[in-house]
Amino acid sequence: MKWFGDWFTSPWRRSAVAALAGALPVLAFPAPALWWWAYVALVPWILLVRSAPTARRAAFDGWSGGFGFMLAMHHWLLPSLHVFTLVIAALLGALWAPWAWLVRRFLGTVADGVPARGRILAALLVLPSAWLAVELVRSWQGLGGPWGMLGASQWQVEPALRLASVGGVWLLSFLVVAVNVALAVLVAVPASRVPAVAGLVATAATASAAWVWAPRPDVDGRVRIAVVQPGVTEGPEHRFDREEQLTRRLIGQDVDLIVWGESSVGHDLSDRPDLAGRLAALSRATGADILVNVDARRSDRPGIYKSSILVGPDGPTGARYDKMRLVPFGEYIPARSLLGWATSVGKAAGEDRRRGTGQVVMNAGPGLRIGPMVCFETAFPDMSRHLTDDGADVLVAQSSTSTFQRSWAPEQHASLAALRAAETGRPFVHATLTGVSAVYGPGGHRIGSWLGTDASTTSVYDVPLADGTTPYVRFGDWPVHLALLVLAALGLTEGARAVRPRRNAPAPHVPPARTAHGSPARPGR
């Protein structure tokens, strides 16, 4: 594969190709949703990095590829953030520079041209671990959160959903990267095909074991949950009127819970008792509590909050959840004193929303406990896991991607709920203002049809309830912990290897002293 590296003599051309290679995995996510593509999409990037003439160039290839991946994954932000989208992609893309350095370290050419089998076997463990470290760092909410984790591309693959119940989306990302590394070895280093094939077999065996042995959700009942999706409307008053009109269609349908989308109510209900009264009347008419989402300045404390509020026949029940993890730039600007200029080049938040202080499980009728989340909080595996551990029977997300109607964002967002359902063994209701709304069973399988971005309607879902605890809920993010241990062990090994030659180095050779006649001096003379 020497020609592969020699062709890229221009640094700029090589960087452009690296960015294109890094963007390839995005096709595995919705809307294209080519899930199988994820297992080969990293191969061109790995081959390019492997051919880097220096470690520094490999790291730069990783940065360029990371930039391409982040830009492609978040391309739908361009109309809102404009040039700042490029800045974010460039900053986050740097996270892949150490990963690329390791790719060259383990898969790059050596003196005899063929990496040892031990290096190949180590690569199958180290490179997926390094990828998980990248996903862990960028999962921090201040850096944008875990949107676009590689394992999330497998949301519609049943064996992958079973794996998610064992190790979450983290385990899926690890195995997807491992398969890509093995395939890259088969292409570039056919002499090392034995460890590469062993890696593929181990991945298949892991998936098979999860399919056979992972506990399946034990369905123990059903509830009827209605989603109200008003579609695109002009202003909060028209939106409320449309939601009220659609909710009246549910009278007589024997529903147990009605869910409205994010920002479905544009006024604090304490300031607008007329709206609270209309909601209570709807609850009495339908016989079900209504979970609304208020996006407004609160009357009892300063600031704007996004809050999930449960309304019953007598008005708000007192159950309230204030959104904790806000969308960077969309709902607040990190380090506003430094980055506040983003408001002048795009649609960044003019005023920061306020954060909630803790997650809440609500009692929504006899025997039904729901765990609400708002918007992109569904991207965080730990939030749904904690709600399940706190006793939630149904996970509910209220969202709105109306700003990004004609992009891949609504489909990507709706797909995340399948992973969260599979991870926790709890059904998941994803209700939006303008689509895509979706409902998933406790195993992550889709219930009914998606409500697309062109729909303004209601839909009732028979949602199965499940009992039991998945391994992921019980043991948490254990794949991440193992990955960090692998990287720590690698660091200790590399450090010891760097120190050992100095410690064991032979004494420098000193030529024998010579006499005035040029003959070597003899001992004792």
Side-chain angles (χ1 to χ4, degrees):
M1 298 295 292
K2 185 175 183 298
W3 63 270
F4 192 85
D6 293 342
W7 190 82
F8 301 105
T9 55
S10 167
W12 289 106
R13 181 166 57 187
R14 186 182 181 98
S15 297
V17 172
L20 290 174
L24 291 177
V26 176
L27 297 176
F29 295 82
L34 306 175
W35 64 266
W36 51 269
W37 178 247
Y39 294 94
V40 298
L42 296 180
V43 172
W45 191 5
I46 292 173
L47 295 180
L48 177 66
V49 172
R50 177 183 179 271
S51 71
T54 64
R56 181 178 180 180
R57 180 66 243 186
F60 201 80
D61 289 344
W63 189 346
S64 300
F67 169 79
F69 177 75
M70 295 306 295
L71 182 60
M73 182 58 65
H74 299 90
H75 71 275
W76 39 271
L77 288 174
L78 281 167
S80 297
L81 295 182
H82 304 303
V83 68
F84 211 81
T85 309
L86 303 178
V87 175
I88 295 172
L91 292 174
L92 294 180
L95 295 174
W96 276 271
W99 175 79
W101 183 89
L102 289 172
V103 169
R104 185 182 183 275
R105 168 72 176 80
F106 284 91
L107 301 182
T109 54
V110 292
D112 59 1
V114 179
R117 290 186 176 183
R119 287 175 63 187
I120 299 297
L121 286 173
L124 293 170
L125 190 62
V126 170
L127 298 183
S129 296
W131 187 280
L132 253 64
V134 174
E135 292 196 337
L136 176 65
V137 173
R138 75 181 187 89
S139 292
W140 179 47
Q141 188 251 327
L143 293 179
W147 190 283
M149 294 176 69
L150 195 58
S153 65
Q154 305 303 295
W155 64 278
Q156 55 185 332
V157 183
E158 193 166 351
L161 294 174
R162 299 281 293 145
L163 282 169
S165 72
V166 176
V169 69
W170 307 103
L171 181 58
L172 297 183
S173 289
F174 185 97
L175 295 178
V176 169
V177 176
V179 170
N180 275 274
V181 172
L183 292 178
V185 171
L186 290 177
V187 172
V189 197
S192 299
R193 60 181 176 271
V194 172
V197 171
L200 293 175
V201 171
T203 302
T206 301
S208 300
W211 177 264
V212 174
W213 298 110
R216 286 172 166 77
D218 184 16
V219 176
D220 60 357
R222 290 182 178 272
V223 292
R224 288 171 59 81
I225 298 179
V227 170
V228 175
Q229 181 176 299
V232 178
T233 57
E234 296 183 5
E237 300 294 342
H238 288 90
R239 182 186 308 132
F240 191 96
D241 291 342
R242 179 57 178 162
E243 289 162 332
E244 183 180 36
Q245 179 186 26
L246 291 172
T247 303
R248 291 194 177 279
R249 297 182 184 179
L250 300 171
I251 296 174
Q253 295 198 38
D254 193 27
V255 295
D256 298 292
L257 175 68
I258 300 170
V259 183
W260 289 12
E262 179 187 10
S263 303
S264 49
V265 179
H267 304 277
D268 187 357
L269 294 179
S270 297
D271 280 343
R272 291 291 301 272
D274 58 318
L275 298 183
R278 289 164 67 180
L279 288 168
L282 287 174
S283 176
R284 291 192 297 271
T286 58
D289 288 351
I290 304 173
L291 185 69
V292 301
N293 187 268
V294 176
D295 182 3
R297 195 174 302 277
R298 289 184 60 165
S299 59
D300 58 340
R301 63 183 65 177
I304 301 174
Y305 288 79
K306 283 193 175 181
S307 306
S308 299
I309 296 178
L310 194 64
V311 180
D314 299 321
T317 64
R320 180 187 190 114
Y321 166 66
D322 296 323
K323 185 178 182 181
M324 296 171 58
R325 295 181 180 172
L326 305 176
V327 179
F329 299 98
E331 295 171 339
Y332 81 105
I333 296 182
R336 182 176 285 271
S337 59
L338 295 176
L339 303 178
W341 58 270
T343 58
S344 63
V345 298
K347 301 176 182 177
E351 178 182 351
D352 292 350
R353 297 310 198 263
R354 301 297 181 93
R355 302 177 189 274
T357 56
Q359 293 185 265
V360 176
V361 175
M362 302 178 179
N363 293 311
L368 179 61
R369 291 168 58 81
I370 62 173
M373 289 173 281
V374 183
C375 192
F376 93 136
E377 289 182 331
T378 61
F380 295 87
D382 64 303
M383 296 197 73
S384 53
R385 181 166 61 87
H386 291 154
L387 286 172
T388 302
D389 202 38
D390 289 341
D393 301 310
V394 179
L395 302 173
V396 180
Q398 298 170 295
S399 178
S400 171
T401 51
S402 54
T403 306
F404 314 108
Q405 280 294 90
R406 302 185 184 277
S407 72
W408 293 355
E411 286 84 358
Q412 286 183 16
H413 200 179
S415 70
L416 295 175
L419 270 297
R420 305 292 89 87
E423 289 168 345
T424 59
R426 296 294 183 268
F428 202 113
V429 177
H430 179 81
T432 71
L433 287 182
T434 58
V436 171
S437 297
V439 178
Y440 300 91
H445 59 281
R446 190 166 68 185
I447 298 175
S449 301
W450 277 7
L451 300 182
T453 54
D454 58 346
S456 175
T457 187
T458 62
S459 186
V460 179
Y461 300 87
D462 288 315
V463 180
L465 300 178
D467 200 2
T469 303
T470 64
Y472 177 68
V473 171
R474 179 176 291 118
F475 301 112
D477 301 329
W478 62 266
V480 178
H481 302 152
L482 288 182
L484 295 178
L485 287 176
V486 168
L487 296 178
L490 173 66
L492 292 174
T493 302
E494 293 292 321
R497 185 176 297 171
V499 172
R500 192 179 304 119
R502 301 176 185 175
R503 184 183 303 167
N504 299 330
H509 176 69
V510 179
R514 292 181 176 272
T515 64
H517 300 286
S519 300
R522 295 174 182 171
R525 288 189 65 180

Short mmCIF file of all heavy atoms in Angstrom, two decimals, residues 324-358:
data_model
loop_
_atom_site.label_atom_id
_atom_site.label_comp_id
_atom_site.label_asym_id
_atom_site.label_seq_id
_atom_site.Cartn_x
_atom_site.Cartn_y
_atom_site.Cartn_z
N MET A 324 -31.76 20.06 32.80
CA MET A 324 -30.46 20.19 33.43
C MET A 324 -29.34 20.43 32.42
O MET A 324 -28.44 21.23 32.67
CB MET A 324 -30.15 18.91 34.23
CG MET A 324 -31.08 18.64 35.39
SD MET A 324 -30.79 17.01 36.10
CE MET A 324 -29.06 17.12 36.55
N ARG A 325 -29.38 19.74 31.31
CA ARG A 325 -28.29 19.81 30.34
C ARG A 325 -28.76 20.60 29.12
O ARG A 325 -29.58 20.13 28.34
CB ARG A 325 -27.81 18.41 29.96
CG ARG A 325 -27.19 17.72 31.17
CD ARG A 325 -26.68 16.34 30.89
NE ARG A 325 -26.12 15.77 32.10
CZ ARG A 325 -25.71 14.52 32.25
NH1 ARG A 325 -25.78 13.69 31.21
NH2 ARG A 325 -25.22 14.08 33.39
N LEU A 326 -28.23 21.79 29.03
CA LEU A 326 -28.68 22.72 28.01
C LEU A 326 -27.85 22.59 26.74
O LEU A 326 -26.69 22.15 26.78
CB LEU A 326 -28.59 24.15 28.55
CG LEU A 326 -29.33 24.42 29.86
CD1 LEU A 326 -29.08 25.85 30.32
CD2 LEU A 326 -30.82 24.15 29.71
N VAL A 327 -28.44 22.98 25.63
CA VAL A 327 -27.77 22.91 24.34
C VAL A 327 -26.80 24.07 24.22
O VAL A 327 -27.21 25.23 24.27
CB VAL A 327 -28.79 22.96 23.19
CG1 VAL A 327 -28.08 22.90 21.84
CG2 VAL A 327 -29.80 21.82 23.32
N PRO A 328 -25.49 23.79 24.06
CA PRO A 328 -24.53 24.88 23.90
C PRO A 328 -24.88 25.75 22.70
O PRO A 328 -25.23 25.25 21.62
CB PRO A 328 -23.20 24.15 23.69
CG PRO A 328 -23.40 22.80 24.29
CD PRO A 328 -24.84 22.47 24.06
N PHE A 329 -24.84 27.04 22.90
CA PHE A 329 -25.13 28.08 21.91
C PHE A 329 -26.63 28.16 21.58
O PHE A 329 -27.12 29.24 21.32
CB PHE A 329 -24.32 27.87 20.63
CG PHE A 329 -22.84 27.93 20.87
CD1 PHE A 329 -22.10 26.78 21.01
CD2 PHE A 329 -22.22 29.15 20.98
CE1 PHE A 329 -20.73 26.83 21.26
CE2 PHE A 329 -20.84 29.22 21.21
CZ PHE A 329 -20.10 28.05 21.36
N GLY A 330 -27.36 27.07 21.61
CA GLY A 330 -28.78 27.14 21.36
C GLY A 330 -29.55 27.64 22.57
O GLY A 330 -30.53 28.39 22.42
N GLU A 331 -29.14 27.22 23.78
CA GLU A 331 -29.83 27.60 25.01
C GLU A 331 -28.94 28.35 25.98
O GLU A 331 -29.42 28.92 26.95
CB GLU A 331 -30.42 26.36 25.68
CG GLU A 331 -31.51 25.71 24.83
CD GLU A 331 -31.95 24.35 25.36
OE1 GLU A 331 -31.20 23.72 26.13
OE2 GLU A 331 -33.06 23.93 25.01
N TYR A 332 -27.66 28.32 25.75
CA TYR A 332 -26.72 29.13 26.53
C TYR A 332 -25.43 29.20 25.74
O TYR A 332 -25.19 28.39 24.83
CB TYR A 332 -26.48 28.52 27.92
CG TYR A 332 -25.47 27.39 27.92
CD1 TYR A 332 -24.18 27.58 28.41
CD2 TYR A 332 -25.80 26.13 27.43
CE1 TYR A 332 -23.25 26.56 28.41
CE2 TYR A 332 -24.89 25.09 27.42
CZ TYR A 332 -23.61 25.30 27.92
OH TYR A 332 -22.69 24.28 27.90
N ILE A 333 -24.61 30.17 26.07
CA ILE A 333 -23.32 30.31 25.41
C ILE A 333 -22.22 30.03 26.43
O ILE A 333 -22.10 30.74 27.43
CB ILE A 333 -23.15 31.72 24.82
CG1 ILE A 333 -24.18 31.96 23.72
CG2 ILE A 333 -21.73 31.91 24.26
CD1 ILE A 333 -24.07 33.30 23.04
N PRO A 334 -21.43 28.98 26.22
CA PRO A 334 -20.32 28.71 27.14
C PRO A 334 -19.34 29.89 27.16
O PRO A 334 -19.02 30.45 26.11
CB PRO A 334 -19.66 27.46 26.54
CG PRO A 334 -20.69 26.86 25.63
CD PRO A 334 -21.50 28.02 25.13
N ALA A 335 -18.90 30.25 28.34
CA ALA A 335 -17.96 31.37 28.48
C ALA A 335 -18.44 32.57 27.68
O ALA A 335 -17.76 33.05 26.78
CB ALA A 335 -16.55 30.94 28.06
N ARG A 336 -19.63 33.03 28.00
CA ARG A 336 -20.27 34.09 27.21
C ARG A 336 -19.38 35.33 27.09
O ARG A 336 -19.40 36.02 26.07
CB ARG A 336 -21.62 34.46 27.84
CG ARG A 336 -22.38 35.53 27.08
CD ARG A 336 -23.74 35.79 27.69
NE ARG A 336 -24.70 34.73 27.41
CZ ARG A 336 -25.48 34.70 26.33
NH1 ARG A 336 -25.39 35.67 25.43
NH2 ARG A 336 -26.33 33.72 26.16
N SER A 337 -18.57 35.61 28.09
CA SER A 337 -17.72 36.80 28.02
C SER A 337 -16.70 36.69 26.89
O SER A 337 -16.25 37.70 26.34
CB SER A 337 -16.99 37.00 29.35
OG SER A 337 -16.19 35.86 29.67
N LEU A 338 -16.33 35.44 26.53
CA LEU A 338 -15.37 35.23 25.45
C LEU A 338 -16.05 34.90 24.13
O LEU A 338 -15.58 35.32 23.06
CB LEU A 338 -14.41 34.09 25.82
CG LEU A 338 -13.48 34.32 27.01
CD1 LEU A 338 -12.67 33.06 27.30
CD2 LEU A 338 -12.55 35.50 26.75
N LEU A 339 -17.14 34.15 24.19
CA LEU A 339 -17.77 33.65 22.97
C LEU A 339 -19.11 34.31 22.66
O LEU A 339 -19.84 33.84 21.79
CB LEU A 339 -17.97 32.12 23.08
CG LEU A 339 -16.70 31.32 23.35
CD1 LEU A 339 -17.04 29.83 23.49
CD2 LEU A 339 -15.68 31.51 22.23
N GLY A 340 -19.42 35.37 23.37
CA GLY A 340 -20.70 36.03 23.15
C GLY A 340 -20.88 36.57 21.75
O GLY A 340 -22.01 36.79 21.30
N TRP A 341 -19.76 36.75 21.01
CA TRP A 341 -19.86 37.24 19.64
C TRP A 341 -20.60 36.27 18.74
O TRP A 341 -20.99 36.64 17.62
CB TRP A 341 -18.46 37.53 19.08
CG TRP A 341 -17.54 36.33 19.09
CD1 TRP A 341 -16.70 35.97 20.09
CD2 TRP A 341 -17.38 35.37 18.05
NE1 TRP A 341 -16.01 34.83 19.75
CE2 TRP A 341 -16.41 34.44 18.49
CE3 TRP A 341 -17.95 35.18 16.79
CZ2 TRP A 341 -16.00 33.34 17.72
CZ3 TRP A 341 -17.54 34.10 16.02
CH2 TRP A 341 -16.58 33.20 16.48
N ALA A 342 -20.82 35.03 19.20
CA ALA A 342 -21.55 34.06 18.37
C ALA A 342 -22.97 34.55 18.07
O ALA A 342 -23.56 34.17 17.06
CB ALA A 342 -21.61 32.70 19.08
N THR A 343 -23.52 35.38 18.94
CA THR A 343 -24.87 35.90 18.70
C THR A 343 -24.92 36.83 17.49
O THR A 343 -26.00 37.05 16.92
CB THR A 343 -25.39 36.65 19.94
OG1 THR A 343 -24.50 37.73 20.24
CG2 THR A 343 -25.47 35.72 21.13
N SER A 344 -23.78 37.38 17.10
CA SER A 344 -23.76 38.31 15.97
C SER A 344 -23.59 37.63 14.63
O SER A 344 -23.78 38.25 13.58
CB SER A 344 -22.63 39.34 16.17
OG SER A 344 -21.36 38.69 16.17
N VAL A 345 -23.22 36.34 14.64
CA VAL A 345 -23.01 35.62 13.37
C VAL A 345 -24.02 34.49 13.18
O VAL A 345 -23.98 33.80 12.17
CB VAL A 345 -21.58 35.06 13.29
CG1 VAL A 345 -20.57 36.17 13.32
CG2 VAL A 345 -21.31 34.07 14.42
N GLY A 346 -24.90 34.28 14.13
CA GLY A 346 -25.87 33.20 14.00
C GLY A 346 -27.01 33.37 14.97
O GLY A 346 -27.21 34.44 15.55
N LYS A 347 -27.75 32.28 15.17
CA LYS A 347 -28.92 32.31 16.02
C LYS A 347 -28.62 31.76 17.41
O LYS A 347 -29.37 30.95 17.95
CB LYS A 347 -30.06 31.51 15.37
CG LYS A 347 -30.47 32.05 14.00
CD LYS A 347 -31.52 31.16 13.36
CE LYS A 347 -31.89 31.65 11.97
NZ LYS A 347 -32.87 30.76 11.31
N ALA A 348 -27.50 32.16 17.97
CA ALA A 348 -27.13 31.71 19.31
C ALA A 348 -28.03 32.38 20.35
O ALA A 348 -28.66 33.41 20.10
CB ALA A 348 -25.67 32.03 19.60
N ALA A 349 -28.08 31.76 21.52
CA ALA A 349 -28.98 32.23 22.58
C ALA A 349 -28.63 33.65 23.02
O ALA A 349 -27.49 33.93 23.40
CB ALA A 349 -28.91 31.28 23.77
N GLY A 350 -29.62 34.53 23.00
CA GLY A 350 -29.40 35.89 23.46
C GLY A 350 -29.33 35.98 24.97
O GLY A 350 -28.68 36.86 25.52
N GLU A 351 -30.00 35.03 25.66
CA GLU A 351 -29.98 34.96 27.13
C GLU A 351 -29.87 33.50 27.53
O GLU A 351 -30.56 32.64 26.98
CB GLU A 351 -31.25 35.59 27.72
CG GLU A 351 -31.33 35.50 29.23
CD GLU A 351 -32.62 36.08 29.80
OE1 GLU A 351 -33.38 36.70 29.01
OE2 GLU A 351 -32.90 35.89 31.01
N ASP A 352 -29.00 33.23 28.47
CA ASP A 352 -28.82 31.85 28.92
C ASP A 352 -30.04 31.34 29.66
O ASP A 352 -30.59 32.02 30.53
CB ASP A 352 -27.60 31.75 29.85
CG ASP A 352 -26.30 31.99 29.12
OD1 ASP A 352 -26.31 32.04 27.88
OD2 ASP A 352 -25.26 32.13 29.80
N ARG A 353 -30.48 30.12 29.31
CA ARG A 353 -31.48 29.44 30.12
C ARG A 353 -30.85 29.03 31.45
O ARG A 353 -29.64 28.86 31.56
CB ARG A 353 -32.03 28.20 29.41
CG ARG A 353 -32.79 28.41 28.09
CD ARG A 353 -33.86 29.44 28.18
NE ARG A 353 -34.83 29.35 27.10
CZ ARG A 353 -34.82 30.06 25.99
NH1 ARG A 353 -33.83 30.94 25.79
NH2 ARG A 353 -35.77 29.94 25.08
N ARG A 354 -31.70 28.80 32.45
CA ARG A 354 -31.22 28.34 33.76
C ARG A 354 -31.34 26.82 33.83
O ARG A 354 -32.23 26.22 33.23
CB ARG A 354 -32.05 28.99 34.88
CG ARG A 354 -32.02 30.50 34.88
CD ARG A 354 -30.61 31.04 35.12
NE ARG A 354 -30.58 32.51 35.14
CZ ARG A 354 -30.69 33.23 36.25
NH1 ARG A 354 -30.87 32.64 37.42
NH2 ARG A 354 -30.64 34.55 36.17
N ARG A 355 -30.46 26.22 34.61
CA ARG A 355 -30.39 24.76 34.72
C ARG A 355 -31.20 24.26 35.91
O ARG A 355 -31.25 24.90 36.96
CB ARG A 355 -28.95 24.29 34.89
CG ARG A 355 -28.01 24.70 33.77
CD ARG A 355 -26.59 24.23 34.10
NE ARG A 355 -25.63 24.78 33.16
CZ ARG A 355 -25.33 24.23 31.98
NH1 ARG A 355 -25.93 23.09 31.64
NH2 ARG A 355 -24.46 24.79 31.18
N GLY A 356 -31.77 23.07 35.75
CA GLY A 356 -32.36 22.38 36.88
C GLY A 356 -31.28 21.76 37.74
O GLY A 356 -30.10 21.69 37.36
N THR A 357 -31.67 21.27 38.91
CA THR A 357 -30.69 20.76 39.87
C THR A 357 -30.72 19.25 40.04
O THR A 357 -29.83 18.69 40.68
CB THR A 357 -30.91 21.41 41.24
OG1 THR A 357 -32.27 21.17 41.67
CG2 THR A 357 -30.67 22.91 41.16
N GLY A 358 -31.72 18.58 39.48
CA GLY A 358 -31.79 17.14 39.66
C GLY A 358 -32.89 16.52 38.82
O GLY A 358 -33.85 17.19 38.43
#
